[in-house]
Structure formats: structure tokens, C-alpha cells
Amino acid sequence: MSGGRAFMVARTPSASFEGRNMNTYDLVQEDVADVFERWADRDAPYFETSRLLFEYLVMPAAEYLESPPEPLLEQTSLAYTEWLLFEYPIDGQHTPIELYARMPTGMVPESRSGRIEQVARTQRFSQFALGEKNPREGTVRVRDVNTGDELELCCPDAVTRHRWKRGLLGTRIALVNGSWISVGGVKFYDRAPDADPSLRERPTDIDCVTGSFYLDLLRETIGIDGAYFDSLNLVRLG
């Protein structure tokens, strides 16, 4: 990676967009928030276990600095929450998102369960080369630098950041009701015109332990020894 990186912790209000994808986008943000509420018991054993594992793998600077700035604490908490919901096998096999999708009929609305099932089945975190934006629709053309896939992504945050042009967007996406939408709270932006291959090709403990590109990127940015921690910019929208 090169240039500046940014995290965002608040999503852009979608009321200013008129695209057909925005209704799905808004509903899925509410769905994911409901998933978190169902597993938000901080006294549960999995919270402590997952937190310790996250700290071991990422080595977040917020845990090592004597007086970490509030934005860094906030971003670290958000990054952990996304990992917990989408990647951590809370019962040893399934993530909270996957467990939610498996809930018996009647425990959650069928429409919500259906959307979450699609999220659980198709979600992935990657980096995307930004292309043409459609401000009216709240979408942007992107190319997944890890797979080469090109798609139209509903991501109001990226669309409204005018300085986020031909760089790289790191975000979690999912295909819901035929539309690709951003489903994660953590977003990275890198001004580099294409992916820095050194980030993925350099052997790291993260790759060996988890194979998670998301954790690898977190460690490089918010980790105390991260290669890009000193150049990190924290941005909150809202």
C-alpha cells in the first residue's frame, strides 16, 4: 500500500440517494445491527475469548499506547465487532451471521432471515479498485484486485468522499437481492492506483494462523507494529 489510508465509522445517510439499491442497502444495515444485538452480551464467554484472540492476531495499537486517542479506540472496537460478526466461529463452527441465518422460522422475520442468509453465503472482505461513481444511485464501479471481478457496488460512503477517486477501497461486500452492497462498518482507502502486491505476498503470522485478508490488513494499519500505522488517517463521517 502507499499513500493515505482511512477508516470510517459512521455510514453516510442514504436519504440523499434515489437508487433502487438503496432500500436493500438500508435494510441490510438494520439486519446486521440486529445480529449484533443478539450476540452483544459482553459477559458471555465468547466475548472474552474472541477479544483476546483478536488482540493476539492484530496487536492493535490502542491496547499498547499509554493514552490512545478516542478515534483509534473507536475504530479498533468497530474493527473487532466486524470480525466477530462475519469471521469468528462463535460456536466453534459458525459465525454470528451464519447462526442468525439458521434461526428457526418465527424467531426472526422471514424477510430479514432471507437477507441475512444471502449475506452469510456471499459476504467477503477485499480491496477494490475504484471506477466511475454514480452519485444519484449511490453506486460505484469497482474491480476486486484479488479476484479480478468487476461489479457495481452500492456504497454511499465511497460515493460521497470526493477525494476517493482512482484508489483502492477496502470493504466487506455481499450480494443481496441481486445487488452488491457494502455490509461492513470498516472501510479503508488507499490512494495507490492498484494493490501493493507486497501486502499479500509477504509471509505473515496472520496468513499462517487465519488466512484472513481482513485481519492481515488490520494488523498492517492499526497494529502497533503495522507498516502503515504511522501514516494512517482516521475519518468519521456523519
Side-chain angles (χ1 to χ4, degrees):
M1 294 176 73
S2 61
R5 282 142 297 281
F7 282 171
M8 302 192 307
V9 301
R11 296 184 177 88
T12 301
S14 61
S16 58
F17 298 96
E18 302 177 9
R20 59 182 176 80
N21 298 327
M22 292 312 305
N23 182 53
T24 299
Y25 174 87
D26 287 335
L27 289 172
V28 172
Q29 309 314 312
E30 295 174 2
D31 296 340
V32 173
D34 191 60
V35 175
F36 176 71
E37 288 300 319
R38 288 178 180 264
W39 277 273
D41 182 4
R42 294 189 177 274
D43 292 326
Y46 57 75
F47 248 99
E48 181 68 7
T49 302
S50 61
R51 183 185 64 81
L52 291 175
L53 180 59
F54 180 84
E55 291 177 2
Y56 168 73
L57 295 172
V58 176
M59 297 182 65
E63 299 295 328
Y64 292 87
L65 298 177
E66 184 175 345
S67 299
E70 187 62 31
L72 181 59
L73 289 170
E74 192 174 48
Q75 298 288 5
T76 302
S77 177
L78 185 69
Y80 159 74
T81 299
E82 179 168 333
W83 174 72
L84 174 71
L85 293 181
F86 291 94
E87 297 191 11
Y88 181 70
I90 202 169
D91 65 349
Q93 292 183 306
H94 307 98
T95 66
I97 289 285
E98 291 170 335
L99 289 176
Y100 190 103
R102 291 165 173 257
M103 281 187 171
T105 303
M107 292 190 66
V108 295
E110 184 175 352
S111 58
R112 171 162 289 177
S113 177
R115 289 190 298 268
I116 287 295
E117 187 279 329
Q118 294 177 71
V119 171
R121 177 164 39 85
T122 65
Q123 67 88 14
R124 71 178 189 266
F125 182 91
S126 192
Q127 280 186 305
F128 302 88
L130 293 173
E132 184 178 357
K133 296 181 180 181
N134 186 331
R136 181 181 178 86
E137 297 286 332
T139 61
V140 57
R141 289 294 301 178
V142 299
R143 175 176 57 82
D144 189 326
V145 300
N146 289 311
T147 67
D149 295 341
E150 295 187 4
L151 51 93
E152 189 87 9
L153 178 65
C154 184
C155 183
D157 295 325
V159 172
T160 56
R161 296 293 293 178
H162 300 300
R163 293 186 179 181
W164 289 21
K165 297 180 179 179
R166 302 293 176 174
L168 291 173
L169 171 69
T171 188
R172 192 175 303 276
I173 68 171
L175 182 63
V176 182
N177 294 342
S179 299
W180 285 104
I181 61 175
S182 176
V183 297
V186 174
K187 295 179 178 66
F188 305 79
Y189 174 70
D190 185 356
R191 288 194 298 263
D194 207 338
D196 179 353
S198 65
L199 182 62
R200 294 190 305 280
E201 293 177 359
R202 182 176 65 256
T204 66
D205 291 339
I206 299 302
D207 287 333
C208 295
V209 175
T210 69
S212 169
F213 181 61
Y214 176 66
L215 289 179
D216 192 21
L217 201 52
L218 285 176
R219 182 162 182 162
E220 295 288 4
T221 50
I222 65 171
I224 188 64
D225 295 324
Y228 310 107
F229 177 66
D230 291 338
S231 62
L232 178 67
N233 293 317
L234 301 177
V235 178
R236 179 177 184 130
L237 299 182

